Amino acid sequence: MNILEIIDKKRLNKSLNENEIQFVIENYVNGNIKDYQMSSLLMAIVINGMNFDETYYFTKYMINSGKIIDLSSINGIKVDKHSTGGVGDKITLIIAPIVSLYAKFVKMSGRGLGFTGGTIDKLESIKGFNVNYDIDEIINQVNKYNICISYTSDELVIADKKIYALRDASGTVASIPLIASSIMSKKIASGADDIVIDLKVGAGAFMKNKEDALTLAHTMINIGKKFNKKVVCILSNMNDVLGISVGNKLEVLESIEVLKNGGEEDIRNLAIEISSRMISIANNIDIEKAKEKVVKSLEDGSAYNKFLEFVKIQGGDISSLVIDAKTIYIKAYESGYIKYIDVEGIGEFSRSLGAGRINKDDIIDNNVGIKIFKKCGDYIEKDDIIAQVFYNKDMPNIVDKVNSFFTLTNNKVDKNEIILDIVE
Ligand code: URA
Protein backbone atom coordinates (compact mmCIF):
# COMPACT_ATOMS: atom_id res chain seq x y z
CA MET A 1 0.00 0.00 0.00
CA ASN A 2 1.16 3.47 -0.78
CA ILE A 3 0.06 6.87 0.61
CA LEU A 4 0.21 8.53 -2.82
CA GLU A 5 -2.28 6.01 -4.24
CA ILE A 6 -4.55 6.60 -1.24
CA ILE A 7 -4.39 10.40 -1.68
CA ASP A 8 -5.17 9.95 -5.39
CA LYS A 9 -8.13 7.72 -4.62
CA LYS A 10 -9.64 10.31 -2.27
CA ARG A 11 -8.86 13.12 -4.73
CA LEU A 12 -10.95 11.19 -7.28
CA ASN A 13 -13.77 10.94 -4.70
CA LYS A 14 -13.50 7.15 -4.25
CA SER A 15 -14.06 5.62 -0.86
CA LEU A 16 -11.20 4.14 1.15
CA ASN A 17 -11.43 0.64 2.58
CA GLU A 18 -10.66 -0.45 6.16
CA ASN A 19 -7.09 -1.55 5.35
CA GLU A 20 -6.28 1.75 3.70
CA ILE A 21 -7.58 3.76 6.65
CA GLN A 22 -5.72 1.56 9.13
CA PHE A 23 -2.56 2.03 7.04
CA VAL A 24 -2.95 5.83 6.99
CA ILE A 25 -3.51 6.24 10.72
CA GLU A 26 -0.87 3.78 11.88
CA ASN A 27 1.76 5.11 9.52
CA TYR A 28 1.01 8.74 10.30
CA VAL A 29 1.37 8.07 14.03
CA ASN A 30 4.68 6.24 13.56
CA GLY A 31 6.06 8.93 11.26
CA ASN A 32 6.24 6.97 7.98
CA ILE A 33 3.59 9.23 6.48
CA LYS A 34 4.77 12.84 6.53
CA ASP A 35 2.77 15.91 7.58
CA TYR A 36 2.63 17.22 3.99
CA GLN A 37 1.20 13.91 2.74
CA MET A 38 -1.33 13.69 5.56
CA SER A 39 -2.47 17.30 5.09
CA SER A 40 -2.97 16.62 1.39
CA LEU A 41 -5.15 13.60 2.21
CA LEU A 42 -7.04 15.60 4.86
CA MET A 43 -7.80 18.34 2.34
CA ALA A 44 -9.12 15.72 -0.11
CA ILE A 45 -11.35 14.46 2.75
CA VAL A 46 -12.52 18.01 3.53
CA ILE A 47 -13.49 18.47 -0.13
CA ASN A 48 -14.86 15.02 -1.02
CA GLY A 49 -16.01 13.80 2.41
CA MET A 50 -16.05 10.26 3.80
CA ASN A 51 -19.00 7.88 3.80
CA PHE A 52 -20.19 6.35 7.07
CA ASP A 53 -18.02 3.21 6.83
CA GLU A 54 -14.90 5.29 6.24
CA THR A 55 -15.80 7.54 9.17
CA TYR A 56 -16.33 4.52 11.42
CA TYR A 57 -12.96 2.97 10.43
CA PHE A 58 -11.28 6.33 10.93
CA THR A 59 -12.74 6.46 14.46
CA LYS A 60 -11.82 2.84 15.20
CA TYR A 61 -8.13 3.21 14.28
CA MET A 62 -7.87 6.55 16.06
CA ILE A 63 -9.13 4.84 19.23
CA ASN A 64 -6.66 2.00 18.74
CA SER A 65 -3.75 4.44 18.40
CA GLY A 66 -3.61 5.04 22.18
CA LYS A 67 -4.63 3.79 25.58
CA ILE A 68 -8.27 2.88 26.23
CA ILE A 69 -9.49 3.57 29.75
CA ASP A 70 -11.35 0.77 31.49
CA LEU A 71 -13.90 2.16 33.96
CA SER A 72 -15.70 -1.14 34.48
CA SER A 73 -14.68 -1.27 38.14
CA ILE A 74 -16.87 1.77 38.80
CA ASN A 75 -20.30 0.42 39.64
CA GLY A 76 -23.21 1.64 37.55
CA ILE A 77 -23.58 3.27 34.17
CA LYS A 78 -21.08 6.04 33.45
CA VAL A 79 -22.52 8.77 31.26
CA ASP A 80 -20.02 11.27 29.88
CA LYS A 81 -20.75 14.76 28.61
CA HIS A 82 -18.98 16.58 25.83
CA SER A 83 -19.31 20.09 24.48
CA THR A 84 -18.12 21.01 21.00
CA GLY A 85 -16.92 24.28 22.53
CA GLY A 86 -18.59 27.60 23.16
CA VAL A 87 -17.78 31.05 24.52
CA GLY A 88 -18.70 31.23 28.21
CA ASP A 89 -19.42 27.51 28.29
CA LYS A 90 -19.04 26.55 31.95
CA ILE A 91 -21.75 23.89 31.89
CA THR A 92 -19.52 21.04 33.10
CA LEU A 93 -18.88 22.87 36.38
CA ILE A 94 -22.63 23.08 36.97
CA ILE A 95 -23.75 19.65 35.86
CA ALA A 96 -20.94 17.66 37.51
CA PRO A 97 -22.23 18.12 41.09
CA ILE A 98 -25.88 17.82 40.01
CA VAL A 99 -25.39 14.54 38.13
CA SER A 100 -23.18 13.10 40.87
CA LEU A 101 -26.08 13.35 43.35
CA TYR A 102 -27.87 10.65 41.33
CA ALA A 103 -25.23 8.89 39.20
CA LYS A 104 -21.50 8.43 38.68
CA PHE A 105 -19.85 11.46 37.09
CA VAL A 106 -16.38 10.85 35.71
CA LYS A 107 -14.82 13.13 33.16
CA MET A 108 -11.45 13.62 31.52
CA SER A 109 -11.13 17.20 30.35
CA GLY A 110 -8.65 19.33 28.50
CA ARG A 111 -7.06 22.73 28.73
CA GLY A 112 -8.26 25.41 26.35
CA LEU A 113 -6.50 26.41 23.16
CA GLY A 114 -8.47 28.66 20.87
CA PHE A 115 -11.18 31.15 21.69
CA THR A 116 -13.12 28.82 24.02
CA GLY A 117 -11.78 27.93 27.45
CA GLY A 118 -11.15 24.46 28.87
CA THR A 119 -12.84 23.00 31.95
CA ILE A 120 -9.46 22.20 33.49
CA ASP A 121 -8.37 25.85 33.25
CA LYS A 122 -11.56 26.95 34.97
CA LEU A 123 -11.10 24.44 37.80
CA GLU A 124 -7.44 25.37 38.19
CA SER A 125 -8.50 28.97 38.86
CA ILE A 126 -9.59 27.66 42.28
CA LYS A 127 -6.41 27.72 44.39
CA GLY A 128 -5.06 24.23 45.11
CA PHE A 129 -7.53 22.40 42.86
CA ASN A 130 -5.90 19.13 41.74
CA VAL A 131 -6.69 17.77 38.28
CA ASN A 132 -3.85 15.27 37.95
CA TYR A 133 -5.23 11.84 38.79
CA ASP A 134 -4.16 8.45 37.59
CA ILE A 135 -6.80 5.95 36.61
CA ASP A 136 -6.86 4.09 39.95
CA GLU A 137 -7.29 7.37 41.84
CA ILE A 138 -10.16 8.34 39.52
CA ILE A 139 -11.89 5.01 40.08
CA ASN A 140 -11.46 5.17 43.88
CA GLN A 141 -12.75 8.73 44.10
CA VAL A 142 -15.78 8.05 41.89
CA ASN A 143 -16.66 4.90 43.83
CA LYS A 144 -16.51 6.92 47.07
CA TYR A 145 -17.93 10.33 46.09
CA ASN A 146 -19.58 9.73 42.67
CA ILE A 147 -17.50 12.52 41.11
CA CYS A 148 -14.11 13.17 39.55
CA ILE A 149 -12.83 15.53 36.87
CA SER A 150 -9.27 14.88 35.80
CA TYR A 151 -6.89 16.17 33.16
CA THR A 152 -7.05 13.87 30.19
CA SER A 153 -4.15 11.47 29.70
CA ASP A 154 -1.73 12.30 26.89
CA GLU A 155 -1.71 8.61 26.03
CA LEU A 156 -5.32 8.60 24.87
CA VAL A 157 -6.09 8.71 21.11
CA ILE A 158 -2.54 9.65 20.11
CA ALA A 159 -3.59 9.83 16.43
CA ASP A 160 -6.17 12.54 17.16
CA LYS A 161 -3.63 14.71 18.97
CA LYS A 162 -1.32 14.58 15.95
CA ILE A 163 -4.05 14.86 13.32
CA TYR A 164 -5.96 17.62 15.13
CA ALA A 165 -2.82 19.75 15.44
CA LEU A 166 -2.15 19.24 11.73
CA ARG A 167 -5.78 20.07 10.81
CA ASP A 168 -5.55 23.23 12.88
CA ALA A 169 -2.41 24.30 11.00
CA SER A 170 -3.52 23.25 7.51
CA GLY A 171 -7.05 24.61 7.23
CA THR A 172 -8.63 21.15 7.40
CA VAL A 173 -10.77 21.35 10.54
CA ALA A 174 -14.08 21.98 8.74
CA SER A 175 -15.10 18.43 7.85
CA ILE A 176 -18.05 16.69 9.50
CA PRO A 177 -16.58 13.14 9.27
CA LEU A 178 -13.25 14.36 10.67
CA ILE A 179 -14.93 16.27 13.52
CA ALA A 180 -17.22 13.30 14.31
CA SER A 181 -14.37 10.80 14.43
CA SER A 182 -12.18 13.17 16.45
CA ILE A 183 -14.83 13.73 19.14
CA MET A 184 -16.13 10.16 19.26
CA SER A 185 -12.69 8.53 19.38
CA LYS A 186 -11.82 10.57 22.49
CA LYS A 187 -15.13 9.87 24.20
CA ILE A 188 -15.01 6.14 23.51
CA ALA A 189 -11.36 5.83 24.60
CA SER A 190 -12.26 7.61 27.86
CA GLY A 191 -14.34 4.63 28.89
CA ALA A 192 -17.87 6.06 29.20
CA ASP A 193 -20.85 3.77 28.67
CA ASP A 194 -23.04 6.46 27.11
CA ILE A 195 -22.50 10.04 26.01
CA VAL A 196 -24.50 13.29 26.00
CA ILE A 197 -23.09 15.82 23.54
CA ASP A 198 -23.78 19.54 23.74
CA LEU A 199 -23.45 20.45 20.08
CA LYS A 200 -23.08 24.19 19.71
CA VAL A 201 -24.59 25.93 16.70
CA GLY A 202 -24.07 29.53 15.66
CA ALA A 203 -21.62 32.39 15.22
CA GLY A 204 -19.44 31.30 18.17
CA ALA A 205 -19.27 27.61 17.21
CA PHE A 206 -17.69 25.23 14.68
CA MET A 207 -21.13 24.46 13.29
CA LYS A 208 -22.53 27.69 11.94
CA ASN A 209 -25.94 26.32 10.91
CA LYS A 210 -28.46 23.78 12.17
CA GLU A 211 -28.41 21.64 9.03
CA ASP A 212 -24.67 20.86 9.38
CA ALA A 213 -25.12 20.34 13.12
CA LEU A 214 -27.84 17.75 12.48
CA THR A 215 -25.59 15.89 10.04
CA LEU A 216 -22.80 15.88 12.62
CA ALA A 217 -25.23 14.72 15.33
CA HIS A 218 -26.48 11.77 13.25
CA THR A 219 -22.92 10.79 12.33
CA MET A 220 -21.86 10.73 15.99
CA ILE A 221 -25.00 8.85 17.06
CA ASN A 222 -24.34 6.19 14.40
CA ILE A 223 -20.69 5.87 15.40
CA GLY A 224 -21.87 5.42 19.00
CA LYS A 225 -24.17 2.58 17.89
CA LYS A 226 -21.22 0.77 16.28
CA PHE A 227 -19.49 0.82 19.68
CA ASN A 228 -22.66 -0.06 21.57
CA LYS A 229 -23.00 3.34 23.19
CA LYS A 230 -26.07 5.51 23.33
CA VAL A 231 -25.35 9.06 22.18
CA VAL A 232 -27.74 11.97 22.69
CA CYS A 233 -26.98 15.28 20.97
CA ILE A 234 -28.44 18.50 22.34
CA LEU A 235 -28.14 21.23 19.71
CA SER A 236 -27.69 24.48 21.61
CA ASN A 237 -27.48 28.07 20.47
CA MET A 238 -24.10 29.81 20.29
CA ASN A 239 -25.24 33.16 18.90
CA ASP A 240 -25.06 34.61 22.42
CA VAL A 241 -22.44 34.19 25.11
CA LEU A 242 -23.69 31.33 27.31
CA GLY A 243 -24.74 33.02 30.56
CA ILE A 244 -22.83 36.25 31.16
CA SER A 245 -19.20 35.61 31.97
CA VAL A 246 -16.14 34.72 29.93
CA GLY A 247 -12.85 34.16 31.80
CA ASN A 248 -11.86 31.43 34.22
CA LYS A 249 -12.61 32.74 37.72
CA LEU A 250 -15.60 34.73 36.48
CA GLU A 251 -17.03 31.53 34.99
CA VAL A 252 -16.58 29.56 38.21
CA LEU A 253 -18.34 32.34 40.11
CA GLU A 254 -21.20 32.33 37.60
CA SER A 255 -21.49 28.52 37.90
CA ILE A 256 -21.87 28.95 41.65
CA GLU A 257 -24.74 31.41 41.03
CA VAL A 258 -26.55 28.76 38.98
CA LEU A 259 -25.86 26.07 41.58
CA LYS A 260 -27.38 28.39 44.17
CA ASN A 261 -30.57 28.32 42.09
CA GLY A 262 -29.89 31.60 40.29
CA GLY A 263 -28.13 32.58 37.10
CA GLU A 264 -29.28 33.50 33.62
CA GLU A 265 -32.15 31.59 32.06
CA ASP A 266 -30.14 30.24 29.07
CA ILE A 267 -27.39 28.62 31.12
CA ARG A 268 -29.77 27.34 33.78
CA ASN A 269 -32.06 25.73 31.19
CA LEU A 270 -29.18 24.14 29.30
CA ALA A 271 -27.64 22.79 32.52
CA ILE A 272 -31.01 21.32 33.53
CA GLU A 273 -31.48 19.68 30.12
CA ILE A 274 -28.00 18.14 29.97
CA SER A 275 -27.93 16.88 33.55
CA SER A 276 -31.46 15.46 33.26
CA ARG A 277 -30.51 13.54 30.10
CA MET A 278 -27.46 12.11 31.87
CA ILE A 279 -29.41 11.11 34.98
CA SER A 280 -32.22 9.64 32.87
CA ILE A 281 -29.79 7.43 30.90
CA ALA A 282 -27.74 6.38 33.94
CA ASN A 283 -30.79 5.38 36.00
CA ASN A 284 -33.05 4.35 33.13
CA ILE A 285 -35.76 6.74 34.28
CA ASP A 286 -38.12 9.04 32.46
CA ILE A 287 -36.63 12.40 31.42
CA GLU A 288 -39.36 14.35 33.26
CA LYS A 289 -38.62 12.45 36.48
CA ALA A 290 -34.92 13.22 36.07
CA LYS A 291 -35.74 16.90 35.52
CA GLU A 292 -37.71 17.03 38.77
CA LYS A 293 -34.68 15.66 40.63
CA VAL A 294 -32.37 18.23 39.02
CA VAL A 295 -34.62 21.20 39.79
CA LYS A 296 -35.08 19.97 43.36
CA SER A 297 -31.29 19.73 43.85
CA LEU A 298 -30.95 23.37 42.79
CA GLU A 299 -33.81 24.55 44.97
CA ASP A 300 -32.89 22.68 48.15
CA GLY A 301 -29.16 23.53 48.06
CA SER A 302 -27.94 19.94 47.60
CA ALA A 303 -26.35 20.73 44.20
CA TYR A 304 -24.35 23.61 45.67
CA ASN A 305 -23.34 21.57 48.71
CA LYS A 306 -22.12 18.79 46.41
CA PHE A 307 -20.06 21.37 44.50
CA LEU A 308 -18.43 22.48 47.77
CA GLU A 309 -17.65 18.85 48.61
CA PHE A 310 -16.24 18.26 45.11
CA VAL A 311 -13.93 21.29 45.38
CA LYS A 312 -12.76 20.13 48.81
CA ILE A 313 -12.02 16.52 47.82
CA GLN A 314 -9.99 17.71 44.84
CA GLY A 315 -7.98 20.03 47.13
CA GLY A 316 -9.47 23.40 46.11
CA ASP A 317 -9.89 26.43 48.36
CA ILE A 318 -13.27 27.99 47.58
CA SER A 319 -12.37 31.18 49.48
CA SER A 320 -9.72 31.89 46.83
CA LEU A 321 -12.41 32.86 44.31
CA VAL A 322 -11.89 36.60 44.55
CA ILE A 323 -11.29 38.61 41.39
CA ASP A 324 -8.00 40.48 41.44
CA ALA A 325 -8.20 42.80 38.42
CA LYS A 326 -9.04 46.34 37.37
CA THR A 327 -12.51 46.75 35.94
CA ILE A 328 -14.39 49.04 33.58
CA TYR A 329 -18.10 49.16 32.71
CA ILE A 330 -18.85 49.62 29.02
CA LYS A 331 -21.74 51.84 27.90
CA ALA A 332 -23.58 51.51 24.59
CA TYR A 333 -22.75 54.10 21.92
CA GLU A 334 -26.23 53.88 20.36
CA SER A 335 -29.81 52.74 20.95
CA GLY A 336 -31.46 49.84 19.14
CA TYR A 337 -32.31 46.14 19.11
CA ILE A 338 -29.34 43.78 19.20
CA LYS A 339 -29.36 41.91 15.91
CA TYR A 340 -26.02 40.13 16.16
CA ILE A 341 -23.32 39.58 18.76
CA ASP A 342 -19.81 38.70 17.61
CA VAL A 343 -19.43 35.82 20.07
CA GLU A 344 -16.21 34.57 18.52
CA GLY A 345 -14.80 38.12 18.72
CA ILE A 346 -15.67 38.20 22.42
CA GLY A 347 -13.85 34.89 22.93
CA GLU A 348 -10.79 36.24 21.10
CA PHE A 349 -10.94 39.50 23.08
CA SER A 350 -11.05 37.60 26.36
CA ARG A 351 -8.07 35.56 25.19
CA SER A 352 -6.17 38.77 24.34
CA LEU A 353 -6.81 40.02 27.90
CA GLY A 354 -4.91 36.91 29.06
CA ALA A 355 -7.86 34.63 29.90
CA GLY A 356 -6.85 32.06 27.25
CA ARG A 357 -3.81 30.74 25.45
CA ILE A 358 -2.43 31.58 22.03
CA ASN A 359 0.40 29.08 22.42
CA LYS A 360 0.18 25.81 24.32
CA ASP A 361 2.57 26.92 27.08
CA ASP A 362 1.14 30.42 27.67
CA ILE A 363 0.32 31.24 31.30
CA ILE A 364 -3.32 32.21 31.85
CA ASP A 365 -4.50 35.14 33.98
CA ASN A 366 -7.46 33.64 35.83
CA ASN A 367 -8.74 37.02 37.04
CA VAL A 368 -9.42 38.66 33.69
CA GLY A 369 -12.33 38.35 31.29
CA ILE A 370 -15.56 40.00 30.28
CA LYS A 371 -19.20 39.99 31.33
CA ILE A 372 -21.75 40.55 28.57
CA PHE A 373 -25.01 41.78 30.07
CA LYS A 374 -27.12 41.74 26.90
CA LYS A 375 -28.43 39.09 24.49
CA CYS A 376 -29.60 39.15 20.88
CA GLY A 377 -33.12 40.60 20.75
CA ASP A 378 -32.60 42.93 23.75
CA TYR A 379 -33.37 46.61 23.25
CA ILE A 380 -30.64 48.90 24.55
CA GLU A 381 -30.62 52.66 25.08
CA LYS A 382 -27.55 54.77 24.37
CA ASP A 383 -25.39 54.78 27.55
CA ASP A 384 -26.91 51.57 28.94
CA ILE A 385 -24.23 49.35 30.50
CA ILE A 386 -23.74 46.45 28.10
CA ALA A 387 -20.56 44.83 29.44
CA GLN A 388 -17.88 44.83 32.12
CA VAL A 389 -14.24 44.14 31.39
CA PHE A 390 -11.76 42.79 33.96
CA TYR A 391 -8.16 43.45 32.96
CA ASN A 392 -4.66 43.49 34.32
CA LYS A 393 -2.79 44.85 31.30
CA ASP A 394 -3.75 48.02 29.50
CA MET A 395 -5.78 47.48 26.37
CA PRO A 396 -6.19 50.44 24.03
CA ASN A 397 -9.70 51.36 22.79
CA ILE A 398 -11.53 48.93 25.07
CA VAL A 399 -14.84 50.82 24.82
CA ASP A 400 -14.72 50.94 20.98
CA LYS A 401 -13.73 47.32 20.82
CA VAL A 402 -16.53 46.06 23.04
CA ASN A 403 -19.14 48.21 21.28
CA SER A 404 -17.99 46.71 17.97
CA PHE A 405 -19.19 43.26 19.13
CA PHE A 406 -22.82 44.45 18.98
CA THR A 407 -24.74 45.03 15.74
CA LEU A 408 -27.93 47.02 16.29
CA THR A 409 -31.05 47.59 14.24
CA ASN A 410 -34.20 49.69 14.61
CA ASN A 411 -36.41 46.69 13.96
CA LYS A 412 -37.54 44.30 16.66
CA VAL A 413 -35.47 41.09 16.79
CA ASP A 414 -36.49 37.70 18.24
CA LYS A 415 -34.50 36.33 21.17
CA ASN A 416 -32.56 33.12 20.66
CA GLU A 417 -33.93 29.85 22.02
CA ILE A 418 -31.11 28.10 23.91
CA ILE A 419 -32.10 24.55 22.88
CA LEU A 420 -32.56 24.15 19.13
CA ASP A 421 -33.12 20.41 18.94
CA ILE A 422 -32.44 17.11 20.70
CA VAL A 423 -31.40 14.14 18.59
CA GLU A 424 -30.93 10.57 19.78
N1 URA B 1 -13.60 19.13 18.70
C1 URA B 1 -12.82 18.04 18.56
O1 URA B 1 -12.51 17.38 19.55
N2 URA B 1 -12.41 17.69 17.34
C2 URA B 1 -12.74 18.37 16.23
O2 URA B 1 -12.35 17.99 15.15
C3 URA B 1 -13.55 19.51 16.38
C4 URA B 1 -13.98 19.86 17.64
Side-chain angles (χ1 to χ4, degrees):
M1 224 174 286
N2 168 334
I3 182 63
L4 294 180
E5 282 167 15
I6 294 175
I7 294 171
D8 229 26
K9 215 171 155 186
K10 208 16 91 188
R11 180 180 66 79
L12 295 169
N13 200 10
K14 295 188 181 146
S15 47
L16 306 180
N17 61 39
E18 178 167 3
N19 290 339
E20 287 163 334
I21 289 175
Q22 179 176 13
F23 173 86
V24 165
I25 292 180
E26 288 178 358
N27 283 284
Y28 181 57
V29 169
N30 71 22
N32 289 337
I33 293 177
K34 305 297 171 203
D35 281 352
Y36 53 84
Q37 294 168 321
M38 190 64 181
S39 49
S40 175
L41 176 64
L42 289 167
M43 184 53 88
I45 293 173
V46 170
I47 293 168
N48 288 327
M50 287 199 287
N51 64 28
F52 180 70
D53 283 345
E54 291 174 288
T55 311
Y56 162 62
Y57 296 135
F58 212 88
T59 312
K60 174 175 164 186
Y61 290 102
M62 293 249 277
I63 295 170
N64 290 349
S65 70
K67 218 163 130 176
I68 299 170
I69 294 181
D70 179 3
L71 297 178
S72 58
S73 50
I74 297 176
N75 310 317
I77 294 179
K78 279 78 60 187
V79 186
D80 199 356
K81 171 260 173 188
H82 180 80
S83 161
T84 57
V87 177
D89 184 359
K90 66 278 294 174
I91 286 282
T92 298
L93 306 184
I94 304 166
I95 62 153
I98 297 174
V99 173
S100 68
L101 289 169
Y102 305 104
K104 302 284 194 261
F105 187 94
V106 47
K107 182 156 177 58
M108 323 286 162
S109 276
R111 294 200 163 81
L113 186 64
F115 62 88
T116 64
T119 297
I120 292 297
D121 296 317
K122 296 174 215 239
L123 289 171
E124 281 184 333
S125 75
I126 307 172
K127 194 171 158 222
F129 199 100
N130 175 26
V131 291
N132 296 308
Y133 284 74
D134 66 29
I135 193 67
D136 289 337
E137 289 168 330
I138 292 173
I139 290 170
N140 285 341
Q141 183 170 307
V142 175
N143 273 333
K144 199 160 165 196
Y145 297 104
N146 267 13
I147 188 166
C148 185
I149 301 182
S150 171
Y151 182 61
T152 187
S153 159
D154 285 339
E155 295 162 50
L156 246 55
V157 199
I158 289 166
D160 181 66
K161 290 205 173 63
K162 220 177 152 184
I163 294 173
Y164 194 72
L166 185 65
R167 285 169 61 209
D168 213 16
S170 63
T172 53
V173 171
S175 153
I176 288 175
L178 291 177
I179 295 175
S181 56
S182 166
I183 293 174
M184 290 305 293
S185 58
K186 284 178 286 213
K187 291 291 108 181
I188 292 164
S190 299
D193 298 310
D194 299 303
I195 304 145
V196 174
I197 297 177
D198 180 9
L199 209 171
K200 305 286 188 197
V201 189
F206 277 113
M207 293 292 117
K208 304 289 180 205
N209 63 67
K210 189 172 166 191
E211 199 188 337
D212 286 348
L214 282 171
T215 308
L216 176 59
H218 288 295
T219 309
M220 293 194 290
I221 289 166
N222 288 333
I223 293 173
K225 280 191 189 137
K226 286 286 223 180
F227 290 92
N228 216 8
K229 295 184 194 294
K230 181 176 172 66
V231 175
V232 178
C233 290
I234 298 173
L235 273 54
S236 71
N237 205 314
M238 234 316 118
N239 287 307
D240 284 302
V241 166
L242 184 61
I244 289 181
S245 302
V246 184
N248 292 321
K249 242 187 226 178
L250 292 172
E251 293 190 41
V252 179
L253 289 167
E254 186 176 7
S255 304
I256 290 173
E257 284 302 305
V258 180
L259 287 164
K260 285 180 167 171
N261 204 28
E264 292 290 298
E265 200 180 302
D266 61 349
I267 190 158
R268 177 182 161 92
N269 288 347
L270 186 58
I272 291 174
E273 190 64 51
I274 295 173
S275 47
S276 305
R277 296 271 154 189
M278 294 177 77
I279 291 166
S280 157
I281 296 170
N283 296 304
N284 196 16
I285 59 170
D286 190 78
I287 182 74
E288 290 311 319
K289 253 206 183 104
K291 252 181 210 165
E292 274 169 32
K293 287 181 189 293
V294 170
V295 171
K296 184 169 169 289
S297 76
L298 292 169
E299 287 172 353
D300 70 11
S302 51
Y304 178 56
N305 286 336
K306 187 71 193 182
F307 178 78
L308 293 178
E309 181 190 70
F310 163 57
V311 170
K312 199 163 162 206
I313 55 183
Q314 296 212 192
D317 173 7
I318 198 83
S319 69
S320 68
L321 284 171
V322 179
I323 301 287
D324 180 13
K326 290 178 274 186
T327 184
I328 175 173
Y329 286 96
I330 310 290
K331 289 182 178 173
Y333 280 163
E334 290 171 36
S335 305
Y337 290 97
I338 302 175
K339 186 166 97 178
Y340 173 78
I341 296 180
D342 179 4
V343 178
E344 196 169 328
I346 292 169
E348 289 293 0
F349 174 73
S350 168
R351 177 156 77 159
S352 69
L353 291 169
R357 296 182 186 82
I358 292 174
N359 297 306
K360 214 167 93 235
D361 300 323
D362 288 349
I363 309 267
I364 284 183
D365 184 344
N366 286 318
N367 293 288
V368 299
I370 182 166
K371 288 186 179 182
I372 300 289
F373 297 122
K374 302 292 174 186
K375 307 257 174 209
C376 290
D378 282 348
Y379 182 78
I380 51 174
E381 296 276 5
K382 181 174 182 300
D383 288 338
D384 274 356
I385 290 173
I386 50 175
Q388 185 181 10
V389 179
F390 298 80
Y391 62 104
N392 276 325
K393 60 181 178 193
D394 284 332
M395 298 281 290
N397 308 323
I398 280 192
V399 182
D400 285 353
K401 182 90 195 151
V402 175
N403 264 279
S404 77
F405 297 138
F406 296 84
T407 305
L408 304 184
T409 168
N410 290 328
N411 304 323
K412 203 169 180 328
V413 176
D414 288 340
K415 295 202 167 233
N416 291 320
E417 290 289 325
I418 183 69
I419 294 168
L420 301 172
D421 212 339
I422 296 174
V423 198
E424 50 191 307

